[in-house]
């Protein structure tokens, strides 16, 4: 969260610096992508593509701007593109991969919450991820998702209400 | 109850699915640098590492439909090259400001549009050649068309491809084009308004058929219009598997084909000066399963004067050349 690109022009020719700046952000970026796309491979692809764009676009990062917010915005945008593409690109061979969990996850798994989250839109899931996993304030989330700060607050409230309602709603067999 | 949700969400988002595989982060950085170093010649398609060709069976019904494009008197700007000025004839710009927008000092100007039954291509010029137009949508008559592909880096020109707008093939349609540069912070947003509409392109003489080695080629149509050169032909002698590499077919939601791998049939178009026109799109029109015959619909960005030389090279390296347009 605290990483700032103070001399971005210097970084593009320096792969090592780029790695030092970007690598700490990748785990969170992957989580954001997964919250939107819901598939490991697609999330990895989206972050990879975003990293490539970040490398190319690093000189244009404004001095003092938050590198994390900038990079996450690219990731979110890339995920939107990926979702658009996947809607038109249906193949029998693109079988959704099973969700893999380790033992600790099985212990911690919150089935009711998982089902309720599945009923949210990708944007709503990404909003919750940024707020409750990345601990981002609404203003920073607004920059990433391209919304106004007030919109983030109201959507966050509505999303939690929807999630709350979904957790007590009857289970749909096909969901 | 909401306050109870927050700790549960934190625990949920910390589980394995939301964490990348070990060692993945290191690969991302090195891949990003390597990918940026490699030259890019074609449209960026979908997610990284997946350049896909999506072919709809609906294309079958569209074979042979006339290319359409709008027409209005040419308005050449002082810094617009001849080919681009010609492209202005493809659209009507509603107002003096409608075809141009500025966001954070970056100006985008509408150059032209190309319409046919396969796609809508909008060509723009920016005063900043490094814009990343990663998101765009075109709204007309209450319907939103999202951008499928984009190409940039051609002297500050950007070409954006959308789905076809059927209504615009029969009447003039006012449209709103909204563009977003996802790399800029804060995001740059441009909104342009203009109209698109139909004009049946005058018939071009179809080149004579010929052979490229063991591949027979029969042209279906050629169109040379402001901003674009469109070619349709059928090759006989090689199957899909031979001209496309691995092909995967899906029957879900209609018949669709997702194509991966390089094309082994190469189509190039050169202008009068011998400069290659920039490739914009290829549609592969479905053929009977196992048939040694494949139909192609290619579109190129018209960036120089004709006549134009078409060169089609088959999988075995043999070529056929024909000249079109003027």
């Amino acid at each position: 969260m605290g990483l700032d690109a103070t001399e971005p022009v210097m970084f593009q020719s320096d792969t090592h610096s780029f790695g030092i700046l970007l690598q700490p952000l990748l785990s969170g970026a992957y989580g954001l992508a997964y919250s939107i796309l819901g598939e490991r491979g697609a999330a990895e692809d989206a972050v990879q593509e975003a990293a490539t764009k970040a490398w190319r676009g690093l000189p244009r990062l404004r001095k003092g701007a938050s590198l994390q917010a900038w990079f996450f915005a690219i990731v979110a945008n890339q995920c939107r593109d990926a979702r658009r593409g996947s809607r038109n690109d249906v193949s029998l061979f693109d079988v959704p991969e099973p969700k893999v969990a380790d033992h600790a996850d099985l212990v911690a798994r919150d089935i009711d919450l998982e089902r309720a989250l599945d009923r949210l839109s990708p944007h709503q899931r990404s909003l919750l991820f940024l707020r409750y996993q990345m601990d981002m304030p609404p203003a920073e989330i607004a920059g990433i998702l391209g919304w106004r700060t007030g919109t983030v607050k109201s959507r966050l409230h509505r999303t939690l209400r929807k999630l709350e309602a979904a957790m007590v709603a009857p289970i749909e067999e096909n969901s | 109850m909401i306050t109870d949700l927050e700790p549960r969400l934190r625990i949920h988002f910390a589980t394995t699915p939301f964490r990348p595989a070990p060692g993945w982060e290191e690969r991302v950085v090195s891949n990003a640098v390597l990918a940026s170093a490699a030259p890019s010649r074609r449209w960026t398609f979908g997610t990284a590492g997946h350049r896909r060709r999506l072919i709809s069976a609906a294309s079958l019904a569209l074979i042979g439909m006339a290319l359409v494009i709008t027409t209005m008197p040419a308005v050449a700007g002082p810094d617009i090259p001849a080919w681009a000025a010609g492209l202005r004839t493809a659209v009507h710009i509603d107002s003096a400001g409608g075809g141009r927008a500025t966001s954070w000092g970056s100006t985008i100007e509408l150059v032209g549009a190309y319409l046919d039954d396969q796609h809508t291509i909008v060509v723009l010029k920016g005063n900043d050649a490094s814009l990343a137009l990663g998101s765009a949508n075109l709204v007309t008559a209450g319907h939103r068309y999202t951008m499928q592909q984009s190409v940039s880096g051609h002297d500050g020109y950007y070409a954006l491809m959308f789905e076809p707008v059927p209504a615009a093939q029969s009447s003039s349609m006012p449209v709103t084009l909204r563009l977003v540069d996802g790399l800029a912070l804060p995001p740059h947003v441009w909104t342009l308004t203009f109209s698109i509409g139909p004009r049946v392109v005058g018939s071009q003489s179809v080149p004579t058929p010929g052979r490229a080695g063991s591949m027979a080629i029969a042209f279906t149509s050629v169109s040379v219009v402001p901003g674009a050169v469109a070619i349709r032909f059928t090759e006989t002698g090689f199957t899909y598997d031979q001209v496309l590499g691995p092909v995967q077919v899906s029957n879900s939601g209609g018949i669709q084909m997702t194509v991966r791998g390089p094309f082994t049939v190469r189509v190039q178009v050169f202008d009068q000066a011998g400069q290659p026109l920039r490739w914009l799109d290829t549609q592969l029109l479905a053929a009977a399963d196992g048939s040694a015959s494949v139909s192609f619909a290619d579109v190129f960005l018209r960036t120089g004067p004709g006549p134009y030389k078409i060169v089609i090279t088959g999988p075995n390296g043999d070529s056929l050349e024909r000249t079109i347009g003027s």
Side-chain angles (χ1 to χ4, degrees), chain B residues 54-77:
Chain B
L54 185 67
I55 305 142
S56 169
S59 302
L60 277 171
L62 300 173
I63 299 173
M65 286 181 65
L67 295 174
V68 291
I69 195 161
T70 59
T71 177
M72 285 295 289
V75 182

Side-chain angles (χ1 to χ4, degrees), chain A residues 156-170:
Chain A
L156 187 59
H157 179 72
R158 281 203 301 270
T159 300
L160 287 170
R161 294 290 300 273
K162 184 177 178 181
L163 188 64
E164 191 179 21
M167 290 182 71
V168 296

Side-chain angles (χ1 to χ4, degrees), chain B:
Chain B
M1 197 157 185
I2 286 178
T3 53
D4 175 57
L5 276 176
E6 294 180 10
R8 293 171 71 178
L9 284 166
R10 291 180 195 280
I11 293 170
H12 174 74
F13 287 133
T15 55
T16 300
F18 293 88
R19 295 196 302 266
W24 172 77
E25 287 110 315
E26 289 81 0
R27 293 198 302 275
V28 170
V29 174
S30 55
N31 287 345
V33 177
L34 286 173
S36 294
S40 175
R41 293 189 303 115
R42 291 192 160 188
W43 299 87
T44 301
F45 229 97
T47 54
H50 292 78
R51 290 176 185 274
R52 299 177 175 182
R53 281 279 169 269
L54 185 67
I55 305 142
S56 169
S59 302
L60 277 171
L62 300 173
I63 299 173
M65 286 181 65
L67 295 174
V68 291
I69 195 161
T70 59
T71 177
M72 285 295 289
V75 182
D79 58 344
I80 304 291
W83 69 268
L87 234 174
R88 268 191 185 281
T89 63
V91 295
H92 166 62
I93 299 174
D94 282 332
S95 65
R100 176 195 290 260
T102 299
S103 178
W104 296 91
S106 294
T107 299
I108 293 281
E109 182 180 13
L110 175 69
V111 172
Y114 170 77
L115 315 175
D116 69 13
D117 55 309
Q118 299 283 339
H119 33 46
T120 301
I121 294 173
V122 177
V123 180
L124 307 158
K125 186 174 190 297
N127 64 350
D128 180 351
S130 64
L131 297 177
L133 301 180
S135 177
N137 61 62
L138 191 147
V139 178
T140 180
H143 188 86
R144 182 190 301 267
Y145 298 85
T146 54
M147 186 178 74
Q148 296 178 322
Q149 303 171 41
S150 65
V151 67
S152 60
H154 193 95
D155 298 331
Y157 288 87
Y158 301 85
L160 314 179
M161 191 169 86
F162 301 85
E163 292 174 26
V165 180
Q169 298 187 20
S170 58
S171 62
S172 181
M173 304 283 295
V175 300
T176 300
L177 176 65
R178 190 168 183 272
L179 310 161
V180 178
D181 181 347
L183 283 180
L185 191 73
H188 293 9
V189 180
W190 300 264
T191 301
L192 295 89
T193 56
F194 51 95
S195 295
I196 54 176
R199 188 194 70 158
V200 176
V201 175
S203 59
Q204 292 272 340
S205 59
V206 177
T208 56
R211 301 193 70 86
S214 55
M215 183 173 74
I217 295 168
F219 292 90
T220 307
S221 67
V222 295
S223 297
V224 179
V225 298
V229 173
I231 303 159
R232 296 188 178 197
F233 67 93
T234 298
E235 71 79 20
T236 304
F238 292 95
T239 66
Y240 268 118
D241 288 345
Q242 291 168 310
V243 302
L244 296 170
V247 176
Q248 300 177 344
V249 183
S250 165
N251 290 320
S252 59
I255 301 171
Q256 291 187 318
M257 302 177 72
T258 299
V259 179
R260 305 166 198 271
F263 293 94
T264 57
V265 172
R266 187 180 187 192
V267 184
Q268 295 170 287
V269 179
F270 298 89
D271 65 16
Q272 187 181 44
Q275 294 299 312
L277 302 191
R278 179 146 189 165
W279 174 86
L280 285 182
D281 186 49
T282 297
Q283 297 284 330
L284 298 167
L285 308 176
D289 192 27
S291 167
S293 178
V294 182
S295 296
F296 292 79
D298 287 271
V299 182
F300 295 81
L301 194 62
R302 187 182 173 195
T303 53
Y308 302 94
K309 184 172 72 174
I310 304 171
V311 180
I312 301 174
T313 306
N316 52 10
D318 296 314
S319 295
L320 170 74
E321 293 185 10
R322 291 290 184 270
T323 300
I324 60 169
S326 58

